[in-house]
Amino acid sequence: MQTPWIPFIPPSASTLSDKVDALYFYLVGVTIFFTLLIWGVLGFFVIKYRRRNRYEIPRPVAGSLKLETMWSVIPFIIAMTMFAWGAQVFFQLWRPPANAVEVYVVGKQWMWKIQHTTGQREINELHVPVGRKIKLIMTTEDVIHAFFVPAFRIKADVVPGRYTTLWFEATKPGRYHLFCAEYCGMNHSGMIGSVVAMEPTEFDSWLSGNTSQQSPAVAGQQIYTTLGCVSCHGASGEGGRGPALEGLFGKQVFLNNGQTVVADEGYIRESIVNPQAKLVNGFGPIMPTFQGQVSEEQLLQILAFIKSLQSETQPTTARPSGPVPGSSPAPAAAASPGAVNR
Ligand code: CUA
């Protein structure tokens, strides 16, 4: 890591970090400009309009519409540039690109547990290739943590009971600090690690260097079988007592209260730990909760399994019309969950 040109500024190593810096420097610049302007004018007025004799009575001051309009309109315009620019960077930061590679992150007092979709696990380290978009799907087993990589200018809370996401694309190979940025108990300050950005070829050999581990989708399928999910939720609708899982991820789902939801990570998680929260139209409240029976990592694996149940022809993005509840949109190739995975 080379030393940045301003002390204390972390290296800039992602596609978004320069954009965040530019915005930040703009805010600092505007602040410095007005601070100096106000000090300067203040000093000037203090000298120019000082009291020159003890019995001096100041002239009455009348309002000035021109002046008041000016000091309202100019700050308004400046504030709106901050808003528009900030919103633009914010949207880029918070909308992960659709083609990003997913990595699962589980926080725990006091470590970061990471799993790649190919199965590799890491603790307090995250290896990524430069030049590829990475999306982190994050949760925690216990308290709130926050995943913070200063060199990439990304930070997000990691919250019990829900998923948060971050994305980045590293631009320079190197080892960068990873911090927990939310006080989470005694060893919070030790909940640190590194993100290792590697050249894609190096990364590929790193990735193939330990292939013995099961991919999350395969592990998820085993949990799905062990817990007996298959008896109600056949991947393509067999069982019939629960909605089909084939092609479910990313689609719109009709609920029995007339609402629709998108079957995203959060919805699927909720449907496993609190199945009564959102009942799919046409199905009764018969599913038991699996809260406490599956760990956060297992939930992520089940999620990976459900995501893998997409037919090849169908993109993961939502189709315009929702499925007919209870019917099977499945092509024959995916009729059994076992047939889907490598
Ligand atoms: Cu985890 Cu602070």
Side-chain angles (χ1 to χ4, degrees):
M1 277 193 273
Q2 83 261 33
T3 325
W5 56 280
I6 301 178
F8 310 118
I9 292 217
S12 165
S14 80
T15 51
L16 283 169
S17 53
D18 288 341
K19 296 177 187 175
V20 172
D21 285 356
L23 174 64
Y24 190 73
F25 291 142
Y26 172 66
L27 297 178
V28 172
V30 169
T31 308
I32 290 173
F33 173 79
F34 278 101
T35 305
L36 295 179
L37 182 72
I38 289 165
W39 284 359
V41 171
L42 186 72
F44 174 74
F45 283 177
V46 161
I47 294 160
K48 178 155 200 268
Y49 298 109
R50 70 187 185 279
R51 191 163 67 168
R52 285 158 212 258
N53 83 55
R54 282 194 64 176
Y55 306 104
E56 188 177 335
I57 294 171
R59 267 183 300 151
V61 178
S64 162
L65 188 63
K66 216 200 267 178
L67 210 54
E68 284 181 25
T69 310
M70 195 184 75
W71 74 50
S72 303
V73 170
I74 292 175
F76 175 74
I77 292 169
I78 293 171
M80 290 316 281
T81 62
M82 292 174 182
F83 167 71
W85 190 352
Q88 193 234 346
V89 174
F90 178 85
F91 283 130
Q92 288 179 47
L93 271 169
W94 291 100
R95 281 191 187 142
N99 57 350
V101 176
E102 293 182 350
V103 175
Y104 298 111
V105 176
V106 177
K108 174 189 169 158
Q109 286 169 321
W110 290 275
M111 63 172 86
W112 294 106
K113 298 193 283 184
I114 287 158
Q115 188 169 27
H116 296 259
T117 47
T118 43
Q120 281 81 354
R121 287 175 184 282
E122 306 189 65
I123 286 181
N124 294 340
E125 269 200 345
L126 168 61
H127 286 75
V128 292
V130 297
R132 281 189 221 156
K133 297 173 174 69
I134 310 289
K135 176 183 172 186
L136 306 176
I137 299 173
M138 312 186 294
T139 189
T140 158
E141 283 178 19
D142 37 48
V143 299
I144 301 180
H145 305 275
F147 194 94
F148 180 32
V149 186
F152 297 165
R153 311 294 188 266
I154 54 167
K155 174 159 76 173
D157 276 6
V158 174
V159 184
R162 53 176 287 194
Y163 294 124
T164 47
T165 58
L166 274 177
W167 83 272
F168 62 88
E169 180 182 333
T171 51
K172 286 180 212 158
R175 178 176 281 268
Y176 305 105
H177 287 298
L178 158 64
F179 294 112
C180 176
E182 180 70 60
Y183 180 68
C184 55
M186 192 175 72
N187 291 335
H188 158 72
S189 62
M191 193 169 163
I192 54 176
S194 26
V195 178
V196 182
M198 310 165 95
E199 293 294 352
T201 46
E202 261 182 83
F203 176 77
D204 288 338
S205 65
W206 176 84
L207 205 60
S208 58
N210 67 96
T211 45
S212 58
Q213 299 175 56
Q214 221 173 19
S215 82
V218 171
Q221 187 188 349
Q222 285 178 1
I223 300 161
Y224 165 87
T225 312
T226 316
L227 294 176
C229 312
V230 66
S231 61
C232 297
H233 287 283
S236 49
E238 63 275 31
R241 280 171 289 174
L245 303 180
E246 157 74 28
L248 169 68
F249 188 79
K251 276 207 303 204
Q252 293 231 307
V253 176
F254 291 112
L255 304 181
N256 66 354
N257 61 6
Q259 292 178 331
T260 31
V261 291
V262 173
D264 58 7
E265 286 96 355
Y267 166 79
I268 287 170
R269 185 188 190 285
E270 183 186 58
S271 298
I272 296 167
V273 298
N274 184 13
Q276 319 301 333
K278 293 193 177 74
L279 286 173
V280 176
N281 194 20
F283 293 94
I286 55 170
M287 178 168 161
T289 172
F290 286 85
Q291 180 104 52
Q293 295 184 51
V294 276
S295 69
E296 288 299 337
E297 278 168 287
Q298 290 175 318
L299 278 167
L300 282 167
Q301 289 165 344
I302 297 172
L303 184 62
F305 167 61
I306 292 173
K307 280 184 183 173
S308 73
L309 297 174
Q310 310 286 340
S311 59
E312 293 301 315
T313 50
Q314 176 194 313
T316 46
T317 45
R319 289 187 297 183
S321 63
V324 180
S327 78
S328 162
S336 98
V340 177
N341 287 289
R342 287 146 292 189

